[in-house]
Amino acid sequence: MEIYENRPGQSNNQPWLLSFTVLVLIVFGTLAILQTAALGLLPFVFGISFEQLPYLLGATLDHPNARLAFLFIQGLGGGLAFFIGGWIFIRFVDRKTLRMDKQLDPHQFENLWIVLPMLIGFVLFNSLLVYLNMNFDFPEALSGLEASFRAKEDQLMELTKYLTDFESIGEFLLGVLVIGVFAGIGEEYLFRGIVQPKMHQYTGNAHWGVWITAFIFSAIHFQFYGFLPRLMLGALFGYLYLYSGSLIYPIVAHILNNTLTVTLVYFNKLGIMEFDMEEADQLYWQYVIVGLVIFLFCWNWFIKSNKNQVYE
């Protein structure tokens, strides 16, 4: 069960729409402030002038520190902003607590090992949804909308490739820190820690809370051709929190998922193994089936190990 409680001696139950609107404003305000601060530090930390910023943000800057600078902006104005913005909202607006002392109780770590094989199985099975989403064809009447979505997808893919085209082990490790650790902690703290229990409270149904939050989580990435698999991934993170009662599970799963992708990209560049983020024209049913079997086995074990949790 999610933990989102009033602080001792305090009670603050605002109308749901007002509360959610304030949360959005605080998070995006924090993001804007931190990204502005990150941009302002670029000339001093990375030797990139303000005149070069449009090329950096457009992923076309040829500079030895360009990728490090981009990761710096992403880390400070991405995952970290989500965490800080969420914390400000909880502490000073909603005056709630996530009871992190309870969520970090040592017994919560006893079954954490199951997350890795579960995630691997889920990723293999989710390749089916990646394939279906990437190869979705619009009707002729919506060809203009399809072209717009494709153009946006291509733009984001170029940014992703630029960000993950690591030239050294140092860039790779910074990529793991920013894309894996910071994003995993910040996004799960905000979406599963705050948004999901609030949606649960607003709708009165835990499952609605999971799926509405997963929808929002996928939508803010602004990638139509990745929407469905990311929706399912968000739902997985949501149920990991719901059934364990600890954010540690979705945070670890999120970090592992992002780190796995970053590592595969780096290994592909080193020639250790083949991996192409853009490849979605083939579907390997054997991977889908094996992944589903692994995931269901791990999920069943996970549910049984958390059978004493209370759900609503």
Side-chain angles (χ1 to χ4, degrees), residues 89-121:
F89 176 79
I90 287 181
R91 185 68 179 83
F92 300 105
V93 179
D94 236 18
R95 297 198 292 274
K96 304 287 186 180
T97 176
L98 296 182
R99 290 292 308 277
M100 295 307 295
D101 58 326
K102 181 177 180 180
Q103 296 199 42
L104 294 175
D105 189 284
H107 85 275
Q108 293 285 4
F109 295 86
E110 295 174 358
N111 300 314
L112 198 58
W113 63 269
I114 197 66
V115 172
L116 179 58
M118 180 193 299
L119 181 67
I120 292 174

Side-chain angles (χ1 to χ4, degrees), residues 159-184:
L159 284 173
T160 301
K161 290 168 64 177
Y162 177 78
L163 192 62
T164 56
D165 188 23
F166 307 116
E167 296 290 346
S168 66
I169 186 66
E171 288 187 355
F172 166 68
L173 293 176
L174 182 59
V176 169
L177 179 64
V178 171
I179 301 172
V181 179
F182 283 2

Side-chain angles (χ1 to χ4, degrees), residues 5 22 49 69 97 123 131 179 212 271 311:
E5 305 171 352
V22 172
S49 66
T97 176
V123 169
Y131 175 82
I179 301 172
I212 292 174
Y311 319 114

Side-chain angles (χ1 to χ4, degrees), residues 145-164:
L145 181 62
E146 180 177 9
S148 176
F149 282 151
R150 288 289 182 188
K152 183 64 174 178
E153 189 74 21
D154 292 342
Q155 179 186 17
L156 292 174
M157 180 57 68
E158 287 302 313
L159 284 173
T160 301
K161 290 168 64 177
Y162 177 78
L163 192 62
T164 56

Side-chain angles (χ1 to χ4, degrees), residues 256-291:
L256 287 174
N257 178 76
N258 291 11
T259 300
L260 176 62
T261 302
V262 170
T263 302
L264 290 176
V265 170
Y266 190 53
F267 281 2
N268 178 74
K269 180 163 186 174
L270 295 177
I272 297 176
M273 63 181 300
E274 293 186 6
F275 177 73
D276 187 355
M277 289 186 293
E278 296 183 275
E279 183 182 357
D281 55 349
Q282 289 186 320
L283 179 63
Y284 301 96
W285 281 105
Q286 63 271 30
Y287 294 157
V288 174
I289 295 171
V290 169

Side-chain angles (χ1 to χ4, degrees), residues 122-137 150 153 157 223-233 257 261 275-284 288:
F122 182 85
V123 169
L124 291 174
F125 170 71
N126 210 26
S127 65
L128 171 62
L129 300 182
V130 172
Y131 175 82
L132 294 175
N133 203 163
M134 287 294 291
N135 292 280
F136 179 82
D137 290 322
R150 288 289 182 188
E153 189 74 21
M157 180 57 68
Q223 285 183 281
F224 173 82
Y225 291 101
F227 179 84
L228 186 57
R230 190 173 285 112
L231 170 70
M232 299 303 293
L233 191 65
N257 178 76
T261 302
F275 177 73
D276 187 355
M277 289 186 293
E278 296 183 275
E279 183 182 357
D281 55 349
Q282 289 186 320
L283 179 63
Y284 301 96
V288 174

